[in-house]
Amino acid sequence: MYSEQDIQAVTAHNDIAVIKWCGYDSKMVTDFEPLKADNIRHITIHPKVQRRLKRKGIKAKLIQPYLVDENIYQGKSGRKVFAYCPPTTNNYHRSDIINKLSKQFSIIRGDGSISQPEWHGGKKYKIYNRCYIGLVLNNYAGGLSTIHELMLQGKYCITNVANSPNCLKWKTIDNIVTHLKNPKYFRPDPTLLNMIDFYTFEPEWLKLNYYD
């Protein structure tokens, strides 16, 4: 639901339609009424998105997180920091903090400049392998795939978005700097690599009776 055209396409559909809310899209929509039609179902992997939709009068099912590519884990670790910061309005992904950190740390920005086919075609492996830790600094939703992919490489991520075993919470820039300087996170943690089964794709939400 990233544009008015998306909403029009869904509401014009006469059969069952399923909207998978990814995160920031739930903040971009201003009028939820057309999306309350009886033939439209809603799902999300984000508890915070589920709660926001509930406040807007939409019941969304919370599904298990899953990975598009379960072969992401390779275990190599570089000396750079990966920062998830696709372009949005109102500094949603805290590029202001990332800019300050870049004066002290070598940061690779996941800013959407790499096309999706290239990214999922293998580019992400090369980039993640140059980094030892990740940053996903928004306080709502977005970047969950990055968090999980880093975990399956045995790497931690500084974020308040999720509660995965590799998530390091933060409140201030000083908190972030402390995490980034901690030698504990310089090398992959092998215990994180055992979490792959948790993110195995479960197709139940693709079946219509899932929404009964």
Side-chain angles (χ1 to χ4, degrees):
M1 296 297 101
Y2 287 96
S3 69
E4 185 63 33
Q5 288 74 22
D6 292 339
I7 295 176
Q8 292 174 358
V10 172
T11 54
H13 188 65
N14 294 323
D15 209 335
I16 297 296
V18 177
I19 299 175
K20 180 177 181 290
W21 296 90
C22 296
Y24 188 66
D25 52 347
S26 63
K27 285 184 173 287
M28 295 176 66
V29 174
T30 56
D31 183 9
F32 287 88
E33 288 304 315
L35 302 177
K36 297 178 182 179
D38 292 337
N39 66 309
I40 300 178
R41 311 290 189 266
H42 304 266
I43 59 174
T44 182
I45 60 175
H46 293 280
K48 291 179 181 178
V49 172
Q50 184 190 41
R51 291 194 292 270
R52 174 176 171 78
L53 292 174
K54 183 178 180 180
R55 291 194 297 270
K56 299 296 182 179
I58 288 179
K59 182 180 179 180
K61 288 224 175 203
L62 191 66
I63 66 170
Q64 178 174 300
Y66 62 90
L67 292 169
V68 175
D69 184 357
E70 294 179 358
N71 298 311
I72 185 70
Y73 54 96
Q74 295 184 19
K76 296 180 181 178
S77 189
R79 296 297 302 137
K80 296 182 180 296
V81 177
F82 181 80
Y84 179 82
C85 54
T88 58
T89 58
N90 64 32
N91 199 31
Y92 178 77
H93 289 291
R94 301 310 307 265
S95 58
D96 58 329
I97 294 179
I98 294 170
N99 289 339
K100 291 178 181 178
L101 292 171
S102 66
K103 297 177 181 178
Q104 191 174 356
F105 301 93
S106 180
I107 293 178
I108 297 179
R109 298 173 186 251
D111 57 6
S113 58
I114 300 173
S115 70
Q116 287 294 305
E118 185 180 4
W119 177 257
H120 293 295
K123 187 72 172 181
K124 63 182 175 183
Y125 298 116
K126 298 178 181 178
I127 291 180
Y128 286 152
N129 284 337
R130 295 169 61 194
C131 303
Y132 70 96
I133 200 169
L135 299 174
V136 177
L137 299 182
N138 74 78
N139 281 308
Y140 179 58
L144 198 57
S145 291
T146 293
I147 296 169
H148 295 159
E149 288 169 350
L150 288 170
M151 185 174 71
L152 295 179
Q153 282 206 325
K155 297 171 184 175
Y156 287 83
C157 186
I158 301 168
T159 184
N160 295 326
V161 168
N163 292 308
S164 302
N166 69 323
C167 291
L168 304 172
K169 301 301 182 182
W170 69 280
K171 289 184 178 180
T172 67
I173 294 182
D174 287 341
N175 297 150
I176 298 173
V177 171
T178 297
H179 288 317
L180 292 176
K181 289 184 175 181
N182 191 335
K184 176 182 177 180
Y185 308 125
F186 289 174
R187 294 184 179 279
D189 181 348
T191 63
L192 297 175
L193 301 178
N194 297 323
M195 299 300 295
I196 183 65
D197 289 342
F198 181 75
Y199 296 105
T200 300
F201 178 68
E202 294 185 352
E204 293 302 312
W205 60 271
L206 295 174
K207 303 174 183 178
L208 291 181
N209 60 6
Y210 178 79
Y211 303 93
D212 293 340

